[in-house]
Amino acid sequence: MQKQDSDINLTACHDISDDEVVLSGIEVLQRHYGRLSDVCVKDLAQCISVARFGKSEVIIEMGAVADDLFFLRQGSARAYYLKDGREITDWFAFEHDFICAINSFYTQNPSPHYIASIEPMVAGVIHAPDMQMLCRKHHDFEHLCRNITTDTMLRLQQRIVALQFESAQQKYENLLVKYPEITNRVAVGHIASYLGITNETLSRIRHKRAS
Amino acid sequence: MQKQDSDINLTACHDISDDEVVLSGIEVLQRHYGRLSDVCVKDLAQCISVARFGKSEVIIEMGAVADDLFFLRQGSARAYYLKDGREITDWFAFEHDFICAINSFYTQNPSPHYIASIEPMVAGVIHAPDMQMLCRKHHDFEHLCRNITTDTMLRLQQRIVALQFESAQQKYENLLVKYPEITNRVAVGHIASYLGITNETLSRIRHKRAS
DNA sequence: CATTTCAATTGATATAGATCAATTTAGGAA
DNA sequence: TTCCTAAATTGATCTATATCAATTGAAATG
């Protein structure tokens, strides 16, 4: 089932060539996180590969040391872990977002997270050792990476505020402000666990809003 | 009251000289986050000042653009914000921890957070523009800062997991594992809001545990 | 196109934790 | 020491959200 899905979606994604993914990806990164020298861009391009996945494919398994960092160019993905056998989604990524098994990528420990595609997706991939190497070699790349990490840190900070003392309704409203079209792209169940509430509660909140 | 407290505690902290705070602080930083060249250490030492506060002093007011980053050498502090007039503690810092108005420090926007000392504290201070300057000038310092940010990011990630789906009891137990002596140093009320629960609930949990 | 399967919704009930109110305790000031 | 203020505890409810169970809906499969 996964196989067939994947094939179908692969073709659907062939409008973007690998080179396009890498080059336009690097351009977007520079715009968001800091300019790179030409030498650095060349080195970086060498280290990036392209990954394509169909709908709902598991990309990283829990328990593995996962040193891939994905930068999405199309589609969407999520990171999740299991709590009492139930999937809890921790992170969403859409176009221009990063996703990785955050603990594993930065500490080389086995990942408590799974990563899976949601929609068919295309992403640039870099491996942790390559990133380290590029950081050591190019000061401007280390600067860019620091900016990315800072940005991620600030987002996580925001989420903590949301989870710490907001009602289920408030959390959902805030999510919709940040990602207005998330409900068209992501299963409601994933959104619920992301907000720290049950499917049923989210369903009722959505019902109230609709009426 | 704040004034008098402060005077008393200032004297209590005079066992560490300013130079000691700066130099041993830089040493600790290097041990945790990466070695620096001698030139860099010299430059960095130039940019660090020392701040001393008494018990329960407000260090940063909400609404201010706060570009101070504190590295604690003694005592403790917390960051908090107001939600419906109630203080919600967001972050604790003890010896060897950083604390700043995280949003303000990294984005130069007015801070939604207050920062206050808990116990009398001594800290090294660096200003955001100086940090930026040092990052630009010294690749090794930028590397160190990236490591600090990465570390902070991973901690925030851990807290999200804790807040997302754990019971009040579980959250308290986990906190005690991480900071076994926190209850001797921090008011129970601050701990409660940090965990996203009310004072009363935490009090009852503590009662159950004690028996 | 029919069938299977999984996700979402809806309903009924249970409960963890919030809220409100009253006491007790403890740390700082006189 | 004694007083005073604020924090912590304890008790009695209340409520938002979880849980359990059943039904509906929609997408994937043959």
Side-chain angles (χ1 to χ4, degrees):
Chain A
M1 164 244 180
Q2 228 95 334
K3 263 265 188 66
Q4 283 162 316
D5 256 22
S6 161
D7 291 338
I8 290 159
N9 296 308
L10 274 174
T11 44
C13 290
H14 269 316
D15 32 315
I16 300 191
S17 75
D18 280 15
D19 276 0
E20 244 175 291
V21 169
V22 173
L23 293 179
S24 76
I26 292 177
E27 184 49 37
V28 170
L29 284 184
Q30 288 194 79
R31 263 207 300 280
H32 284 13
Y33 301 108
R35 284 283 146 196
L36 300 174
S37 70
D38 291 350
V39 210
C40 180
V41 168
K42 234 183 96 198
D43 272 6
L44 174 56
Q46 290 285 326
C47 293
I48 299 178
S49 56
V50 174
R52 295 165 193 271
F53 296 96
K55 202 175 162 175
S56 304
E57 287 190 64
V58 172
I59 296 169
I60 288 172
E61 290 278 350
M62 183 208 50
V65 175
D67 64 356
D68 292 327
L69 174 65
F70 298 88
F71 182 63
L72 295 226
R73 309 290 359 259
Q74 283 195 347
S76 50
R78 69 192 176 101
Y80 62 97
Y81 59 93
L82 297 180
K83 166 104 185 169
D84 306 325
R86 177 178 298 193
E87 287 184 9
I88 298 183
T89 294
D90 217 16
W91 184 264
F92 290 117
F94 301 95
E95 294 83 1
H96 304 186
D97 288 332
F98 287 96
I99 194 166
C100 67
I102 187 164
N103 279 284
S104 196
F105 184 79
Y106 287 104
T107 69
Q108 316 304 317
N109 292 322
S111 169
H113 286 104
Y114 294 81
I115 293 185
S117 59
I118 299 172
E119 304 163 308
M121 81 177 230
V122 183
V125 190
I126 190 169
H127 297 285
D130 290 337
M131 200 180 95
Q132 294 299 346
M133 182 270 288
L134 289 171
C135 278
R136 235 177 291 124
K137 189 166 172 194
H138 299 284
H139 188 167
D140 50 358
F141 187 71
E142 181 120 48
H143 182 70
L144 180 138
C145 287
R146 182 166 75 89
N147 283 156
I148 292 170
T149 312
T150 301
D151 197 70
T152 307
M153 179 184 71
L154 292 176
R155 283 196 205 195
L156 292 178
Q157 159 63 26
Q158 287 305 313
R159 280 201 67 207
I160 287 177
V161 171
L163 286 169
Q164 205 170 11
F165 261 111
E166 283 178 4
S167 69
Q169 174 116 22
Q170 278 177 306
K171 288 189 275 190
Y172 183 61
E173 307 273 357
N174 293 346
L175 185 74
L176 288 185
V177 171
K178 258 216 230 130
Y179 303 99
E181 17 79 87
I182 196 171
T183 47
N184 303 323
R185 301 183 65 180
V186 175
V188 179
H190 300 153
I191 295 175
S193 70
Y194 181 78
L195 297 175
I197 61 180
T198 58
N199 294 357
E200 293 92 329
T201 297
L202 182 52
S203 187
R204 283 182 248 269
I205 287 169
R206 284 159 56 77
H207 179 82
K208 249 196 294 178
R209 282 174 52 85
S211 64
Chain B
M1 168 242 182
Q2 228 94 337
K3 262 264 189 66
Q4 283 161 313
D5 255 21
S6 161
D7 291 341
I8 291 159
N9 295 308
L10 274 175
T11 43
C13 291
H14 269 315
D15 34 313
I16 300 192
S17 74
D18 280 15
D19 276 0
E20 243 176 291
V21 170
V22 173
L23 293 179
S24 77
I26 292 177
E27 185 49 37
V28 171
L29 283 183
Q30 288 194 79
R31 262 208 300 280
H32 284 14
Y33 301 109
R35 285 282 146 197
L36 300 173
S37 70
D38 291 350
V39 210
C40 181
V41 168
K42 233 184 95 200
D43 273 7
L44 174 56
Q46 290 285 327
C47 293
I48 299 179
S49 56
V50 173
R52 294 166 192 272
F53 296 96
K55 203 175 161 175
S56 304
E57 288 190 64
V58 172
I59 296 169
I60 288 172
E61 289 279 350
M62 184 206 49
V65 174
D67 63 358
D68 291 327
L69 174 64
F70 298 88
F71 182 62
L72 295 226
R73 307 292 357 261
Q74 283 195 348
S76 50
R78 67 193 178 102
Y80 62 97
Y81 59 91
L82 297 180
K83 165 103 186 171
D84 307 326
R86 176 177 300 193
E87 288 185 7
I88 298 182
T89 294
D90 218 16
W91 183 265
F92 290 117
F94 301 95
E95 294 83 1
H96 303 186
D97 288 332
F98 287 96
I99 194 165
C100 67
I102 187 164
N103 279 285
S104 196
F105 184 80
Y106 286 105
T107 69
Q108 315 303 319
N109 293 321
S111 170
H113 287 104
Y114 294 82
I115 292 184
S117 60
I118 298 172
E119 303 163 307
M121 79 178 231
V122 183
V125 190
I126 189 167
H127 297 287
D130 290 336
M131 199 179 96
Q132 294 300 344
M133 182 271 284
L134 289 171
C135 278
R136 235 177 290 121
K137 190 167 170 193
H138 299 285
H139 187 167
D140 50 359
F141 188 72
E142 181 120 47
H143 182 70
L144 179 138
C145 287
R146 183 166 75 89
N147 283 155
I148 292 170
T149 312
T150 301
D151 197 68
T152 307
M153 178 183 72
L154 292 176
R155 282 195 205 196
L156 293 178
Q157 160 64 26
Q158 287 305 312
R159 280 202 66 207
I160 287 177
V161 171
L163 287 170
Q164 203 169 13
F165 261 110
E166 281 178 5
S167 69
Q169 173 115 22
Q170 278 178 308
K171 287 189 276 189
Y172 182 61
E173 307 272 358
N174 292 346
L175 185 73
L176 288 184
V177 172
K178 258 215 229 129
Y179 303 100
E181 16 79 90
I182 196 171
T183 48
N184 304 322
R185 302 182 64 179
V186 175
V188 179
H190 300 153
I191 295 174
S193 70
Y194 180 79
L195 297 176
I197 61 181
T198 58
N199 293 357
E200 292 92 330
T201 297
L202 182 53
S203 187
R204 282 183 248 269
I205 287 169
R206 284 159 54 80
H207 179 82
K208 248 195 296 178
R209 281 175 52 86
S211 63

